[in-house]
Amino acid sequence: MKRVHLAFIGLLFLPAVSSAQNVFDGTWRPDPQKPGATEKPDVFDLVDGVYECRSCTPPYKVKADGHDHAVAGSPYYDTLSVTVVDERTVLKTAKKGSQTVAETKNVISADGVTRTETQTVSGMAPRPFEFASTFSRVAPGRPGSHLMSGEWRLIEADLTHHDEDTTYKISENTLKMSDHFGRSFSAKLDGTDAPYNGDPKYTSVSVKLIDRSTIEESDKKDGKVVQINRWSVDPDGTTIHARFDDTQGHIQEQTGHKLP
């Protein structure tokens, strides 16, 4: 699953589909996210009053003065403010227009080797939801920079209140998906396009049945495939495996389990 940062890309248990025998029917909960084999570390610079995220998509650089600054290229936010609270704490607030869409608090441990991030996201679901993530330091920042600077690798990330629980129902060769974020679609299992609702990153989706327990989902923006997800259910019927490919060379895998 994709970890959600300010760009909200990463970090979510995106919907998928199933088929014959309805092995996908039910509500599924993703396991806490672990780093994928190909996942690259977060890379930050915070020095001389300027904050830069070199690993973000797209990368950006803004003054760390607590004021809103324009950031281009994200469908989720267009301004960002960065506030240095103290030598170990940094706050970030992202807005879309005048609406706050994400508030993120990063705290570096006293020994400087662990980063704890909590992020509250608004406007993507009927109520705000929160992510909690921990990271280990891979490399230090430049001399004289804030402790936030450097390279960080994910240890574990999860939604605090399980907002990512996703429900599937198959009927008449059509898969219906919905989750607590407000995302949903109803797509035929023959690969034809259907509307994707509730996420500005996608406008349509198509689903193909690979075999009775495997499906492939293609998420699209204005007709262009931007992410390919493959979902497979184990013979026990309670464990699901997901593979996410953003078509840009970033591939991640995650597991989940069916709720009773």
Side-chain angles (χ1 to χ4, degrees), residues 4 7-8 11-12 20 30-31 38 40 44 51 79 82 96 101 113 132-133 177 179 203 242:
V4 178
F8 310 137
L11 192 122
L12 304 178
D31 296 338
T38 62
K40 297 180 180 180
F44 306 120
Y51 177 83
T79 65
V82 178
K96 184 74 171 179
V101 294
V113 299
S133 309
M177 180 284 299
D179 64 19
T203 54

Side-chain angles (χ1 to χ4, degrees), residues 46 49 51 64-66 82-91 146:
L46 178 49
Y51 177 83
D65 57 6
V82 178
T83 301
V84 178
V85 178
D86 55 40
E87 64 180 6
R88 296 194 296 112
T89 309
V90 175
L91 303 180
H146 189 274

Side-chain angles (χ1 to χ4, degrees), residues 51-228:
Y51 177 83
E52 180 179 8
C53 181
R54 292 192 276 130
S55 57
C56 289
T57 306
Y60 61 79
K61 182 187 293 187
V62 298
K63 291 182 178 180
D65 57 6
H67 297 293
D68 295 338
H69 296 281
V71 177
S74 172
Y76 300 100
Y77 63 98
D78 47 37
T79 65
L80 180 69
S81 69
V82 178
T83 301
V84 178
V85 178
D86 55 40
E87 64 180 6
R88 296 194 296 112
T89 309
V90 175
L91 303 180
K92 297 185 287 184
T93 301
K95 295 180 180 178
K96 184 74 171 179
S98 60
Q99 180 185 4
T100 296
V101 294
E103 295 178 297
T104 307
K105 181 178 182 180
N106 282 277
V107 179
I108 312 304
S109 61
D111 60 9
V113 299
T114 303
R115 175 168 65 93
T116 301
E117 178 181 282
T118 55
Q119 183 179 79
T120 301
V121 180
S122 305
M124 291 180 63
R127 60 179 176 80
F129 53 90
E130 185 176 278
F131 294 90
S133 309
T134 55
F135 303 80
S136 61
R137 187 181 291 280
V138 177
R142 291 183 288 165
S145 63
H146 189 274
L147 281 174
M148 177 83 172
S149 303
E151 298 185 17
W152 300 90
R153 188 173 303 281
L154 177 69
I155 298 173
E156 183 175 286
D158 201 7
L159 280 162
T160 306
H161 303 292
H162 303 298
D163 296 279
E164 225 169 11
D165 290 358
T166 302
T167 299
Y168 303 109
K169 176 63 179 177
I170 297 173
S171 178
E172 298 180 354
N173 201 40
T174 298
L175 176 103
K176 294 183 178 181
M177 180 284 299
S178 62
D179 64 19
H180 297 306
F181 291 121
R183 299 177 300 188
S184 66
F185 63 69
S186 180
K188 294 288 186 180
L189 293 169
D190 59 5
T192 56
D193 282 1
Y196 192 121
N197 307 306
D199 191 331
K201 190 175 180 181
Y202 311 118
T203 54
S204 63
V205 61
S206 64
V207 178
K208 294 180 181 179
L209 176 63
I210 306 302
D211 57 44
R212 67 171 301 274
S213 60
T214 307
I215 57 91
E216 185 174 272
E217 171 190 340
S218 296
D219 300 327
K220 304 176 183 181
K221 179 72 171 183
D222 300 326
K224 180 182 179 180
V225 176
V226 294
Q227 180 155 285
I228 299 173

